[in-house]
Amino acid sequence: VKSGVGYLYFLNKESVLAFKKMFQGKVLAQDSLAGPVAIVSLSGQMLRMGLYAYILWIGMISFAVGFMNFLPIPVVDGGHIAFMLVEVVRGKPLNPKIEEAIMSVGVVLLISLALLSLYFDISRLVNK
């Protein structure tokens, strides 16, 4: 358990650093983002390396999904938490139309991220 907690701490720290480097332009997004094609490909590679490597890989994928879920992006849980914090600070909820507009932007951002990662996956396959 102690080793697992330490590994989760390491993954969290590295994820935050990777996001920071991506936004600073120190790391290219196409080198950091993996979509469904890359995930399936890497899953096969991990399975060929053995059950232990595969289970670690599945844990990393689960962690990555959880990490993304807690980012303050509208539509995901982190966005809902951000809305609640705004409500606590303001003492009243946001105007529903404003909240809906922000949620729409969040949906567009998530769809754009999904399409961008899929594009990077396909371009990696084509350039092999």
Side-chain angles (χ1 to χ4, degrees), residues 1-2 5 22 29 33 39-40 50-51 55 68 84 103 122:
V1 171
K2 183 179 177 184
V5 169
M22 212 171 12
L33 292 176
I39 291 170
V40 169
L51 187 59
I55 290 172
M68 290 293 294
M84 286 184 234
M103 289 290 197
I122 292 170

Side-chain angles (χ1 to χ4, degrees), residues 9-20 63-64 67:
Y9 174 79
F10 168 77
L11 286 176
N12 190 40
K13 185 176 80 170
E14 290 300 312
S15 296
V16 170
L17 287 174
F19 265 99
K20 183 178 176 184
F63 176 82
F67 181 82

Side-chain angles (χ1 to χ4, degrees), residues 74 83 94-107:
F83 278 127
L94 282 175
N95 179 328
K97 290 189 184 242
I98 293 173
E99 191 171 335
E100 187 178 312
I102 293 171
M103 289 290 197
S104 297
V105 169
V107 168

Side-chain angles (χ1 to χ4, degrees), residues 4-125:
V5 169
Y7 192 62
L8 281 177
Y9 174 79
F10 168 77
L11 286 176
N12 190 40
K13 185 176 80 170
E14 290 300 312
S15 296
V16 170
L17 287 174
F19 265 99
K20 183 178 176 184
K21 287 178 182 179
M22 212 171 12
F23 285 111
Q24 291 174 337
K26 294 179 181 176
V27 174
L28 297 175
Q30 59 260 36
D31 296 335
S32 299
L33 292 176
V37 175
I39 291 170
V40 169
S41 174
L42 289 168
S43 294
Q45 291 176 24
M46 292 298 137
L47 192 55
R48 283 189 289 281
M49 291 174 67
L51 187 59
Y52 182 74
Y54 184 69
I55 290 172
L56 276 177
W57 171 249
I58 296 300
M60 288 175 61
I61 295 297
S62 296
F63 176 82
V65 169
F67 181 82
M68 290 293 294
N69 192 42
F70 276 105
L71 291 176
I73 300 169
V75 179
V76 298
D77 290 338
H80 291 292
I81 292 169
F83 278 127
M84 286 184 234
L85 289 174
V86 168
E87 187 174 325
V88 167
V89 170
R90 290 183 71 220
K92 61 181 182 176
L94 282 175
N95 179 328
K97 290 189 184 242
I98 293 173
E99 191 171 335
E100 187 178 312
I102 293 171
M103 289 290 197
S104 297
V105 169
V107 168
V108 169
L109 284 173
L110 285 177
I111 290 171
S112 299
L113 181 62
L115 291 173
L116 185 64
S117 65
L118 184 61
Y119 170 77
F120 290 152
D121 286 353
I122 292 170
S123 67
R124 277 188 216 108
L125 286 174

